[in-house]
Amino acid sequence: MKGGNYELITMDSNRGSFGSQLGVILASAGSAVGLGNIWRFPTEVGRGGGAAFILIYLGFILLLAMPVMLCEFIIGHSARSNAIGAFQKLSPGKPWVVAGIMGVLGGFLVLSFYSVVAGWTLHYTVQSALGQLQGLQTTDNGLQATDYGLSFNAFVSDPWQPILYLAVFLLLTHFVVARGIQHGIERYSKLMMPMLLAIIVFLMGFSLTMPGAAEGVRFLLQPDLNEVTPEVVLGAMGQAFFSLSVGLGCLVTYSSYFSKETRLVKSAMNVCIIDTMVAVLSGLIIFPTVFRVGIAPDAGPGLVFITLPNVFNLTFSEMPIVGYVFALLFYVLLLLAALTSSISMHEICTAFISEHFQAERRRAAVVVTFICLLLGACCSLSFGPWQEVTVFGRGFFDLFDFTVTKFLMPLGGLLMTLFVGWYLDRKLVERELTNGGTLSVRLMRPLLILIRWVAPIGILVIFLNEIIPLFM
Ligand code: PHE
């Protein structure tokens, strides 16, 4: 039997909801735009041969991640429930609920390790505001990469400091989520996203006018196919899923607060466009500056915490005010991006706990914050005193990252495309895509082909390619 009784489901709604279409787009784009765009994307681009990686990435966004996003929207918008509740409503008693359970579990894990890096960001923001990032300048040529490397390593391996920043960051996230949908998530997304976009455009203009910027731009826009290895291709799918926040039911949760009139296809496209634009613009901020001081672009995760402080430092020694403003704005940007994403991770868990256990939102949020603080502290300690503590050969941070990005996101995405493409009633899906028949969606057929065939097969092939070697 096909699942999903549309009439019955849309009637029930005593929950929060977004107040405007702008709120819908900014909150969803806020979830998507995050450390994934500004920290992870440039790192992956650096390792994967610049523009060649970007091309593959764009293909995956269009063919795999965007269809999953649409499926999440269809599930959440029609069921009007949290990630687990939505499956229970649309397919009562059926095992599809596993997709929701994996999502909520993934929500806890992702928020825990993400907040650690967000905590580092908060520390760097404070440091740059106090002008202390420049304090490390030691040599005549100002290019002592090791100094920043050392201070970064000393900071992240400290047992207490990073946990303190992690806690402050989680409290900020908590504060927004506890206030609810319209007064919390929507209100703060409307405040933070325009700020974030303005800072990005400003910094990009700035970075492109620096001497030597052309080389960085060339790296970003000229494909070097020699660098494309199978790992680069696999990494591109992981990056596409992570960056669009798909596979964990985060967008199932958000779309359950969309109004009935919200256009799902248009919203999904807008979110994909904004997210991709921010990723590429971040590359245009980072690579010209990195090339300017002649540092290899494949510096890895230390790129924004080790390489960039070097660049800021150099700028600072030539033009102090410019260097100061550049550094500060960059870390504020990173912090805003992290916060709008962590809010959405928190909401996956808070929505589930408050609806499932019929707990007040504020109480549910406290539980989530507390659990993530404990798990996050474990992740943070895995850079310092707990370096030797491993589970399945990985420290906590790595383990959580690996579980979410390599297992839960692709598997969740796969299940959701199968659920919407093959299990849900076709009429319900069409109604969701056309807003109850009021919109003609010319894209309907191609979208359905993507959802039913291209995305599940593509995700499965890539997932198996990534997983099988682990067990050989
Ligand atoms: N998309 C976010 C980023 O790019 C990360 C994220 C993953 C957010 C999963 C929510 C859920 O940083």
Side-chain angles (χ1 to χ4, degrees):
M1 198 200 80
K2 290 271 180 180
N5 185 329
Y6 187 79
E7 308 307 342
L8 195 138
I9 288 155
T10 43
M11 270 161 42
D12 147 51
S13 195
N14 223 346
R15 318 163 67 238
S17 66
F18 287 110
S20 66
Q21 179 60 19
L22 185 67
V24 163
I25 301 283
L26 291 183
S28 311
S31 166
V33 171
L35 295 172
N37 303 60
I38 306 169
W39 174 59
R40 226 175 128 135
F41 180 81
T43 307
E44 301 265 327
V45 171
R47 287 177 176 159
F53 175 88
I54 300 184
L55 286 179
I56 302 170
Y57 173 80
L58 289 181
F60 284 156
I61 291 273
L62 201 68
L63 300 177
L64 309 183
M66 195 271 291
V68 177
M69 178 181 284
L70 257 184
C71 292
E72 292 211 18
F73 279 179
I74 291 171
I75 296 169
H77 191 240
S78 59
R80 309 215 149 261
S81 188
N82 64 81
I84 293 182
F87 285 98
Q88 287 172 331
K89 269 192 184 176
L90 293 172
S91 57
K94 296 276 186 322
W96 290 108
V97 70
V98 170
I101 296 174
M102 284 178 1
V104 172
L105 193 75
F108 279 107
L109 298 183
V110 75
L111 180 58
S112 304
F113 78 81
Y114 198 85
S115 301
V116 173
V117 183
W120 300 347
T121 309
L122 186 57
H123 168 74
Y124 274 70
T125 312
V126 173
Q127 292 271 91
S128 53
L130 298 176
Q132 283 174 358
L133 265 191
Q134 283 79 25
L136 295 166
Q137 186 176 357
T138 48
T139 62
D140 295 340
N141 61 18
L143 279 181
Q144 280 286 331
T146 47
D147 277 4
Y148 285 102
L150 278 181
S151 68
F152 174 70
N153 286 332
F155 171 70
V156 302
S157 58
D158 186 271
W160 293 110
Q161 267 204 60
I163 295 184
L164 202 71
Y165 281 101
L166 155 78
V168 175
F169 180 80
L170 271 174
L171 285 179
L172 289 175
T173 308
H174 176 95
F175 170 79
V176 177
V177 174
R179 313 195 102 191
I181 308 306
Q182 257 184 45
H183 298 294
I185 298 179
E186 179 167 3
R187 179 155 161 225
Y188 287 95
S189 300
K190 278 182 168 167
L191 189 76
M192 293 193 280
M193 284 306 283
M195 270 162 69
L196 182 149
L197 296 174
I199 298 180
I200 285 220
V201 172
F202 178 76
L203 288 182
M204 185 194 62
F206 196 53
S207 142
L208 288 181
T209 50
M210 284 196 187
E215 202 185 334
V217 176
R218 206 172 307 125
F219 176 76
L220 204 65
L221 301 182
Q222 229 172 44
D224 175 2
L225 293 176
N226 295 327
E227 297 282 332
V228 180
T229 57
E231 287 89 73
V232 169
V233 177
L234 299 181
M237 182 177 95
Q239 175 60 23
F241 272 50
F242 189 79
S243 189
L244 284 187
S245 318
V246 296
L248 297 183
C250 179
L251 300 170
V252 169
T253 313
Y254 267 21
S255 57
S256 72
Y257 308 123
F258 291 180
S259 76
K260 220 173 151 199
E261 291 74 38
T262 302
R263 300 179 178 199
L264 301 188
V265 179
K266 198 171 156 200
S267 306
M269 287 184 174
N270 280 329
V271 174
C272 290
I273 292 171
I274 296 176
D275 188 69
T276 308
M277 249 175 45
V278 171
V280 174
L281 294 187
S282 306
L284 283 177
I285 295 173
I286 290 176
F287 288 111
T289 36
V290 168
F291 273 95
R292 174 172 174 245
V293 290
I295 296 173
D298 56 353
L303 188 68
V304 302
F305 298 113
I306 300 172
T307 312
L308 285 184
N310 265 301
V311 179
F312 298 145
N313 196 22
L314 183 72
T315 316
F316 184 78
S317 59
E318 291 164 357
M319 302 170 276
I321 296 185
V322 176
Y324 177 85
V325 172
F326 196 177
L328 180 59
L329 279 184
F330 181 81
Y331 290 112
V332 169
L333 165 72
L334 207 57
L335 192 62
L336 287 174
L339 196 54
T340 52
S341 295
S342 63
I343 290 169
S344 71
M345 300 167 185
H346 200 295
E347 181 60 24
I348 310 179
C349 311
T350 302
F352 165 69
I353 293 187
S354 80
E355 288 177 8
H356 190 80
F357 299 101
Q358 292 177 348
E360 206 199 325
R361 162 173 282 272
R362 281 173 195 275
R363 293 226 172 127
V366 170
V367 173
V368 176
T369 303
F370 185 70
I371 294 177
C372 290
L373 185 57
L374 289 184
L375 293 176
C378 296
C379 292
S380 180
L381 289 171
S382 69
F383 289 96
W386 288 7
Q387 236 157 23
E388 309 300 322
V389 182
T390 56
V391 182
F392 302 121
R394 293 170 194 274
F396 284 107
F397 185 96
D398 270 359
L399 180 73
F400 286 14
D401 181 355
F402 180 84
T403 311
V404 170
T405 52
K406 301 280 194 263
F407 275 98
L408 298 179
M409 284 187 148
L411 272 184
L414 177 64
L415 288 178
M416 287 194 259
T417 51
L418 293 176
F419 182 71
V420 172
W422 298 95
Y423 175 79
L424 270 191
D425 182 17
R426 176 70 85 90
K427 284 212 178 69
L428 182 149
V429 174
E430 289 182 0
R431 263 195 264 184
E432 284 297 337
L433 290 174
T434 58
N435 284 46
T438 53
L439 291 178
S440 90
V441 178
R442 269 176 288 135
L443 289 172
M444 177 99 89
R445 278 189 75 83
L447 284 176
L448 282 175
I449 294 175
L450 286 180
I451 291 176
R452 302 187 79 174
W453 298 99
V454 180
I457 294 176
I459 297 170
L460 189 65
V461 168
I462 293 181
F463 176 68
L464 291 179
N465 263 302
E466 196 147 32
I467 293 309
I468 290 172
L470 292 178
F471 296 100
M472 302 277 261

